[in-house]
Amino acid sequence: MKVFLIPLTILIGVLIITGIVLNSYSPISIPSSSNNKNSNAKGAIWKSVDAGRNFEPKSQMESDSNLNLSKNVIKLTNGANNDILALTSRGGVFRTTNWGNSWNILLNSEMIPTTLAVSPNKTEEVYIGTIESKRARLYKTNNPRQNTSWQEIYTEPKSGTSFVDIKIDPKNDNIVYSLLSSGVLLKSYNKGLDWVLANNLKTTVIGLDIDSNNPEVVLVIGTTKVYVSKDGGFSFEESTPKLKAQAVTGAQINSFAVNPNNSQEIYLGSTGELIRSQDQGKTWENLRILTPNLSLPINNISISVSNPNFLYYNVGTVLYTSSNRGESWNTSDLSSIVKNISDILIDREKSDIIYISTN
């Protein structure tokens, strides 16, 4: 019998190539000081027009402003038309009307903001969730150019909880949903002037979504379960996706995204895994993903409105992009420009234009 010895370097090379093939890995250029415009610039918001290969800072304030938009953004959201709004952890709401080329201040306060929503038909109609004097509160404005025009529309009677999400009915902007971290879902039929208790799930939750085609379908995502309502949030069916248990946190959902054109398709991010349901939570499948550190959670997931085949997610400062619903992924290491990624926002019309924020 003849014994063939394979050199170690060749064996390692074969294993690496095999791993790449099995994971459908398609590497792209990694941003660095040589291929990112103004990579050393300070800023909380960055824009890419090539699906995350290169970024440029987009945190420039209008010339008449003495406030800075710098590394404290916790949420980005689309407004009407070309507007984008940014919520900062220091009590600020900022808006751009020119795709991030310049920003103006809409609110500057001492409150601790937690979430933000904008009317799909009118960017001037803005809702924010905050914590003030240890109580969760909701504020609204119809004229955000004036700092004093914000009106308090709800105060939670007990401390210890916060608003994690606000959603406006895409077909009727009189209807507004507000979700507390404790699982309490509030609903208003008159743009926040009055509220009713739609449901109390009595569990920790991280966000909600509304079906754009049938707004009676409301989804609430908890840290361990997914809840689906077909009557506008008054009753829910629950499902428990099977996640890998972690030594410290257990099996926990850290992030989620719902296909904006099909609420049957839900993505959940956990530590070291990304799972998908195509039947609104009844069954789940694991997607093959690429993570440099399996001990870190998937922080954000975003799906393109114009092309739902495009998915983005991040683990720490590494951004992952798929143009085929997660069959293969491209990566960008953004550690040269940000210390973390707090949110990912995809342009409405072009799926390869994205904004990221850092806090």
Side-chain angles (χ1 to χ4, degrees):
M1 178 183 296
K2 294 183 179 180
V3 178
F4 296 93
L5 298 178
I6 301 176
L8 181 60
T9 54
I10 295 177
L11 179 59
I12 292 174
V14 170
L15 291 174
I16 292 173
I17 293 171
T18 303
I20 291 174
V21 171
L22 290 175
N23 286 282
S24 302
Y25 178 48
S26 304
I28 59 176
S29 58
I30 297 176
S32 65
S33 59
S34 61
N35 64 5
N36 272 278
K37 181 180 178 182
N38 298 327
S39 64
N40 295 321
K42 300 291 184 181
I45 299 171
W46 298 76
K47 180 180 180 180
S48 172
V49 297
D50 56 8
R53 290 175 174 82
N54 298 279
F55 282 85
E56 60 177 338
K58 289 292 181 180
S59 302
Q60 181 68 42
M61 294 297 297
E62 291 186 347
S63 57
D64 60 349
S65 175
N66 60 358
L67 295 172
N68 295 320
L69 185 58
S70 178
K71 293 188 178 180
N72 61 343
V73 174
I74 58 175
K75 186 176 179 63
L76 296 171
T77 188
N78 282 309
N81 302 318
N82 301 319
D83 295 0
I84 298 172
L85 275 76
L87 182 68
T88 74
S89 59
R90 298 177 184 174
V93 178
F94 295 79
R95 179 176 64 183
T96 177
T97 59
N98 52 18
W99 296 279
N101 291 322
S102 63
W103 297 77
N104 59 79
I105 183 73
L106 304 185
L107 174 67
N108 180 29
S109 76
E110 298 299 321
M111 296 181 294
I112 302 173
T114 57
T115 190
L116 168 75
V118 185
S119 169
N121 304 312
K122 186 180 179 183
T123 296
E124 283 72 24
E125 197 165 278
V126 183
Y127 300 80
I128 59 171
T130 71
I131 297 175
E132 189 179 11
S133 301
K134 299 182 179 180
R135 301 285 180 87
R137 303 170 191 263
L138 291 174
Y139 285 83
K140 175 192 172 185
T141 183
N142 292 313
N143 183 16
R145 292 182 181 86
Q146 298 180 11
N147 200 52
T148 58
S149 67
W150 292 80
Q151 174 189 4
E152 184 175 345
I153 56 175
Y154 180 83
T155 300
E156 178 65 11
K158 296 181 180 180
S159 61
T161 189
S162 61
F163 284 103
V164 294
D165 216 341
I166 304 169
K167 285 291 187 295
I168 301 169
D169 188 311
K171 294 188 176 182
N172 182 356
D173 60 9
N174 289 304
I175 299 177
V176 184
Y177 294 87
S178 296
L179 181 67
L180 285 158
S181 58
S182 59
V184 170
L185 179 64
L186 303 174
K187 186 174 184 178
S188 173
Y189 292 91
N190 54 11
K191 299 189 176 185
L193 296 180
D194 301 289
W195 296 90
V196 297
L197 174 63
N199 211 299
N200 184 0
L201 298 171
K202 298 181 180 180
T203 188
T204 303
V205 295
I206 62 173
L208 73 121
D209 210 331
I210 303 175
D211 189 313
S212 59
N213 299 310
N214 180 9
E216 287 295 296
V217 176
V218 177
L219 295 90
V220 173
I221 311 299
T223 54
T224 59
K225 295 183 178 183
V226 172
Y227 303 86
V228 179
S229 172
K230 297 180 181 179
D231 59 4
F234 291 102
S235 64
F236 285 89
E237 296 179 358
E238 65 181 58
S239 67
T240 305
K242 185 175 292 185
L243 298 170
K244 298 175 184 176
Q246 304 297 318
V248 178
T249 60
Q252 182 169 303
I253 301 168
N254 300 105
S255 55
F256 75 97
V258 179
N259 186 329
N261 303 308
N262 177 15
S263 66
Q264 294 285 324
E265 188 171 320
I266 306 169
Y267 292 80
L268 302 179
S270 183
T271 298
E273 64 180 328
L274 177 66
I275 65 174
R276 175 176 62 202
S277 174
Q278 300 185 72
D279 52 15
Q280 221 161 53
K282 294 181 179 65
T283 60
W284 297 89
E285 59 181 328
N286 280 81
L287 298 183
R288 291 180 298 178
I289 60 173
L290 304 166
T291 57
N293 190 334
L294 293 176
S295 65
L296 295 177
I298 292 176
N299 301 116
N300 301 282
I301 311 169
S302 191
I303 306 174
S304 171
V305 174
S306 61
N307 184 356
N309 290 318
F310 267 80
L311 310 176
Y312 295 85
Y313 76 88
N314 77 284
V315 176
T317 59
V318 181
L319 177 71
Y320 300 87
T321 307
S322 175
S323 59
N324 51 20
R325 298 179 70 247
E327 292 297 320
S328 62
W329 297 93
N330 298 323
T331 65
S332 296
D333 183 356
L334 307 182
S335 58
S336 64
I337 60 174
V338 298
K339 291 184 178 180
N340 71 303
I341 298 173
S342 58
D343 205 0
I344 303 170
L345 181 69
I346 308 174
D347 183 85
R348 280 199 187 99
E349 298 179 357
K350 297 182 179 180
S351 54
D352 55 353
I353 297 180
I354 65 168
Y355 300 81
I356 65 166
S357 61
T358 179
N359 62 357

